């Protein structure tokens, strides 16, 4: 259905002559129809709009529109503007206010919604060091969305945790991390370390822009919204994030994953050999097996289930990818008992979760007791891609605890916050 047909199929909320044409807006579409047949009809889907403003006698819609696809290459979104002529500056101002309200589900003539306030944390040395450039591209979109921005460039390890301790939830609506998953990990643990942790975590939303070497949360959000993402890791290691390894026995909060055995060794143990390429790394790890105990509570059950060693890989995920239907209400536990290189060939499709050599379960609680593989190379255990002590670990899932900007609510029949 075209934008014009979509508008005609819905009741117009506002319609007005402009002198040279007519402006119409519904909950889905803004449309300009010229009076003459030689003029160009303009239709803009509000789902693509991030802002509306007036410039002289024009209504300006700030959009992020989809380009490409098919023979034109991979589909991707690019910033764009649609300019619709108005009778004068006053009409342009009224329409900008009306469209802004409708974008937020408010009646055209109602008071405008409250301005959003975002704290933006930029880690300039995350991954390949592209965070500043990534944010520079996104900042104009935030400004078009009328967000009040407070920007902080981190300067040292642990800086994000320090900032998290000082945030006043009454003065900030969301904290946007520009960097890798490690920046989000540090923010989450900084918030949960506060005396008012429950209130702070409940009041704040978390956003992320991909500026690190691994951007798993960002990839998950994009794929959950059926948007294109580049799930490949950027070259370069994460530097300048929280370098303090957690002590054994310490309470740690993770938003992304727990990796053990093959998964952790591949992600962290062979960083210095990434230049060999993924197939070579997989071959080096293919014959490794790991001893340890693992038990978990399946979703919907209070009974513990125990699995015996040896294991090839264990990966508990709390985001939509790399599995096909992940929510933040439980952990998705992938268990590989035998060596199977094809497990990690294509995680982006989610088909690995259906492989016969992989057991995939949804769990609400997990207990892992990893045993050393060898005295020289005991093994690695990671939370959110961050190395943690190789020790007995208990994981409890906190349903719906974090609120993430861009998360799909109700996906798969469950809340995703």
């Amino acid at each position: 259905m075209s934008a014009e047909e979509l508008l005609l199929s819905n009741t117009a909320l506002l319609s007005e002559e402009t002198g040279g044409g007519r402006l119409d807006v519904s909950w889905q579409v803004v449309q300009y129809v010229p009076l003459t047949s030689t003029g160009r009809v303009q239709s803009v889907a509000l789902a693509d709009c991030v802002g509306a403003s007036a410039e002289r006698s024009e209504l300006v819609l700030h959009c992020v529109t989809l380009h490409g696809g098919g023979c034109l290459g991979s589909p991707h979104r690019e910033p764009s503007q649609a300019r619709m002529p108005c009778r004068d500056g006053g009409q342009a101002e009224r329409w900008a206010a009306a469209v802004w309200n409708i974008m937020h589900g408010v009646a055209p003539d109602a008071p405008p919604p409250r301005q959003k306030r975002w704290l933006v944390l930029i880690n300039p040395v995350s991954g390949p060091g592209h965070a500043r450039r990534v944010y520079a591209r996104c900042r104009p979109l935030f400004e078009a969305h009328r967000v009040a921005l407070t920007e902080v460039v981190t300067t040292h390890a642990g800086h994000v945790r320090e900032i998290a301790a000082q945030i006043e939830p009454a003065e900030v609506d969301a904290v946007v991390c520009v960097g890798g998953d490690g920046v989000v990990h540090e923010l989450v643990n900084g918030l949960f370390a506060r005396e008012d942790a429950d209130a702070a975590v409940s009041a704040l939303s978390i956003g992320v822009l991909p500026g690190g070497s691994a951007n798993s949360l960002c990839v998950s959000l994009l794929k959950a919204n059926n948007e294109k993402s580049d799930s490949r890791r950027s070259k370069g290691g994460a530097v300048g994030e929280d370098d303090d390894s957690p002590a054994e026995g310490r309470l740690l909060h993770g938003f992304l994953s727990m990796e053990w055995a093959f998964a952790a060794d591949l992600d962290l143990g062979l960083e210095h050999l990434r230049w060999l390429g993924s197939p070579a790394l997989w071959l080096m790890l293919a014959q490794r097996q790991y001893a340890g105990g693992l038990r978990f509570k399946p979703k919907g059950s209070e009974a513990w289930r125990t699995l015996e060693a040896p294991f090839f890989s264990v990966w508990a995920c709390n985001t939509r990818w790399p599995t096909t239907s992940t929510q933040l209400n439980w952990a998705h536990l992938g268990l590989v008992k035998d060596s199977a290189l094809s497990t990690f060939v294509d995680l982006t499709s989610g088909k690995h979760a259906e492989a016969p050599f992989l057991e995939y379960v949804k769990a609400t609680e997990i207990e892992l007791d990893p045993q050393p593989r060898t005295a020289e190379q005991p093994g690695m255990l990671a939370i959110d891609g961050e190395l943690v002590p190789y020790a007995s670990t208990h994981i409890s899932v906190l349903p719906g605890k974090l609120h993430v900007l861009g998360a799909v609510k109700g996906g798969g029949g469950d809340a995703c916050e």
Side-chain angles (χ1 to χ4, degrees):
M1 180 180 290
S2 68
E4 291 90 337
E5 293 170 327
L6 184 61
L7 179 61
L8 293 174
S9 69
N10 293 275
T11 303
L13 299 173
L14 188 63
S15 182
E16 195 169 280
E17 298 293 332
T18 66
R22 188 184 75 252
L23 282 169
D24 301 286
V25 61
S26 71
W27 289 114
Q28 288 81 19
V29 181
V30 183
Q31 180 175 269
Y32 172 76
V33 180
L35 294 180
T36 64
S37 59
T38 57
R40 182 171 64 91
V41 175
Q42 296 186 65
S43 297
V44 176
L46 288 180
D48 293 335
C49 288
V50 296
S53 62
E55 292 184 16
R56 296 184 176 86
S57 59
E58 287 185 320
L59 168 65
V60 182
L61 302 178
H62 306 269
C63 307
V64 186
T65 52
L66 194 63
H67 296 267
C71 62
L72 300 178
S74 299
H76 63 282
R77 290 191 178 271
E78 291 287 345
S80 63
Q81 289 184 351
R83 293 177 174 269
M84 300 181 176
C86 298
R87 183 183 305 110
D88 51 37
Q91 186 180 48
E93 291 283 355
R94 290 196 309 275
W95 270 81
V99 172
W100 179 250
N101 275 7
I102 293 169
M103 288 173 56
H104 290 80
V106 179
D109 56 352
R114 181 178 64 81
Q115 185 180 33
K116 299 179 178 68
R117 304 157 302 175
W118 290 0
L119 172 63
V120 183
L121 306 180
I122 306 166
N123 186 347
V125 293
S126 280
H130 295 164
R132 277 194 174 103
R133 187 171 67 189
V134 169
Y135 181 62
R137 291 192 62 194
C138 296
R139 194 179 197 279
L141 301 177
F142 297 158
E143 292 173 338
H145 200 56
R146 306 185 189 182
V147 178
L149 299 169
T150 301
E151 298 149 356
V152 178
V153 178
T154 59
T155 60
H156 55 274
H159 194 182
V160 171
R161 186 183 293 268
E162 296 168 8
I163 293 170
Q166 300 169 359
I167 293 173
E168 292 292 341
E171 299 175 1
V172 178
D173 298 308
V175 183
V176 177
C177 300
V178 189
D181 294 317
V183 183
V184 184
H185 178 83
E186 191 175 338
L187 172 66
V188 167
N189 281 277
L191 292 174
F192 275 105
R194 295 168 56 118
E195 291 186 0
D196 63 343
D198 287 341
V201 170
S202 177
L204 295 170
S205 294
I206 295 174
V208 59
L209 293 177
S213 57
N215 305 295
S216 300
L217 178 58
C218 193
V219 169
S220 176
L221 293 171
L222 289 170
K223 287 185 174 292
N225 285 280
N226 296 316
E227 296 286 349
K228 177 183 180 295
S229 67
D230 185 352
S231 60
R232 297 169 297 178
R233 292 172 60 100
S234 303
K235 299 299 181 183
V239 180
E241 294 168 0
D242 192 352
D243 294 325
D244 297 326
S245 299
E248 191 169 337
R250 170 185 160 188
L251 178 65
L252 193 67
H253 289 82
F255 70 95
L256 181 63
S257 66
M258 178 200 73
E259 299 170 301
W260 176 54
F262 177 94
D265 285 356
L266 182 63
D267 193 25
L268 298 174
L270 297 177
E271 185 74 33
H272 62 293
L273 295 177
R274 286 194 183 279
W275 60 273
L276 291 173
S278 295
L281 295 181
W282 293 334
L283 288 170
M284 293 175 67
L285 296 174
Q287 302 307 314
R288 290 188 176 182
Q289 288 190 325
Y290 302 78
L294 177 69
R295 68 180 196 139
F296 60 90
K297 283 185 181 179
K299 176 178 176 283
S301 172
E302 288 300 314
W304 286 89
R305 179 184 169 192
T306 301
L307 294 178
E308 300 298 332
F311 297 97
F312 172 64
S313 187
V314 175
W315 201 352
C317 299
N318 198 33
T319 55
R320 278 189 176 269
W321 251 254
T323 60
T324 52
S325 59
T326 311
Q327 307 296 338
L328 300 186
N329 286 342
W330 52 76
H332 288 243
L333 188 60
L335 310 162
V336 184
K337 297 285 286 185
D338 299 309
S339 175
L341 295 182
S342 57
T343 306
F344 287 82
V345 171
D346 182 16
L347 297 177
T348 60
S349 69
K351 293 295 184 181
H352 67 285
E354 303 170 6
F357 46 75
L358 183 143
E359 183 170 0
Y360 168 62
V361 296
K362 297 175 181 178
T364 57
E365 208 163 347
I366 303 169
E367 287 186 350
L368 173 67
D369 184 22
Q371 299 301 309
R373 194 177 64 84
T374 67
E376 296 76 18
Q377 295 181 317
M380 290 185 169
L381 181 63
I383 303 294
D384 296 349
E386 303 292 317
L387 194 64
V388 298
Y390 198 73
S392 296
T393 302
H394 182 102
I395 296 176
S396 296
V397 179
L398 306 178
K401 198 69 173 180
L402 295 177
H403 305 273
V404 182
L405 294 175
V408 177
K409 296 183 180 181
D414 299 279
C416 184
E417 286 195 325

